[in-house]
Amino acid sequence: MPKVFGTDGVRGLANREVTAELALDLSVAAARVILDRGDVRPSRERPLAVVGRDPRISGQILEHAVVAGLASAGVDVLRLRVVPTPGVAFLTEALDADLGVVISASHNPMPDNGIKFLARGGHKLDDAVEAQIEELLGSSWDAPIGADVGRVRPYERPVEEYVDHLLSTLDRPLAGLKVVVDCANGAASEAAPMALRAAGADVVVIGAEPDGLNINEGCGSTFLAPLQAAVVAHGADAGIALDGDADRCLAVDHEGNDVDGDQLLAILALDLSEAGNLVDETVVATVMSNLGFVQAIEAAGLRVRQTRVGDRYVLEEMRAGGFVLGGEQSGHVIMSQYATTGDGILTALHVLQRMVATGKDLQSLASVVTRLPQVLVNVTGVDKDRTDDPVLAEAVAAEERALAGRGRVLLRPSGTEPLVRVMVEAPTDDTAREVADRLADVVRERLALP
């Protein structure tokens, strides 16, 4: 059977690749795995799962399939309905559920959707557990009957409970700040404005009218222009851009300049370090982090540990070392004191709190990182599993030698899409673009599909 799970659960074109049939089979297999492993609270008559989704229209189909699969396998299910991914993770832990399920394709376009499973405690499943689920797909088994099938019921006030948790992490109100938040017409359309207003900010809301079709469409963290314009037009102190499931955020300063995940991570690292709360003075990031971020962290006397791309690998390193802060340039920021996964609203609240505490604007705080010009080229129509091609490897090595330590090159197959990413950092935009284009041509030539 081909591999089903990618770097962030199962993701693809809804009703074509991610079908109701697949959702049903996956949820049955996941239930069987937690039962076989004994990952169920002994005090319970049956295992308990929570299921949440983003508002894209296909989520309704997949939610019903997932719930049916879990209940048919003897699992009780609480339906959270539309709630951010980190909200599902929080409630998985808070309700001591044996399994959490998120139905979302995050920042992907509306036609896509995905399914992600969370272990007890709200953590993403290990690769080994996902492999076990894949092995059980489609296999026969003795399904429970009669009174042994699971019960399904809606869970009341999931958004309010999640927001209460977010507010409990703050030390001071955000009074005096005017903030524009772009909810990407996604899962945070209710939670983000609620949290920011309850924290004391004056809030302008855009991108918060989800209709099932407009998620991530010309808005949110993948398209900052509307937020940049709104921040300037309203004279706001900052703008917050979330993605469709709100597990990441980017920001905009008062002049409309973008503030990326590296800069947000640096702001939070300095904040935690000054408070004496940054474990081993270490931040976990990925190899995609800008070289300027690494230089800024090291200049502050702190350390960076870099992992493979993907917030799951950041989380693994954080858990292994007991670190409390990690993240990605894309805006996934994990504050493990308060969350088990990336949380865009949590990130925003703490960055805004840093502004209040220091009296500095976001532009000043973000300036600690001087970003090297970076170009990212997505090369489609190629075999992403052959990036170890020797001719391509030599081309990369030659470009790195020419940069002579003043930049870097990274080739990475996407974990969620059929493409290879060519990332180049260099002293100038022109140099970065030229190197990236040359390497993209080599990727197309060497990795072309038959």
Side-chain angles (χ1 to χ4, degrees), residues 57-77:
I57 197 69
S58 60
Q60 298 177 17
I61 301 170
L62 297 176
E63 178 190 13
H64 286 292
V66 166
V67 169
L70 291 170
S72 73
V75 177
D76 289 342
V77 182

Side-chain angles (χ1 to χ4, degrees), residues 5 26 29-30 33 117 125 128-137:
F5 287 95
L26 278 168
V33 167
F117 295 100
L125 295 185
V129 179
E130 290 184 343
Q132 287 181 289
I133 294 173
E134 287 187 359
E135 289 177 7
L136 292 179
L137 286 176

Side-chain angles (χ1 to χ4, degrees), residues 246-262:
D247 65 349
R248 68 170 72 183
C249 90
L250 299 177
V252 169
D253 69 22
H254 67 286
E255 292 184 347
N257 303 303
D258 67 284
V259 178
D260 70 12
D262 285 341

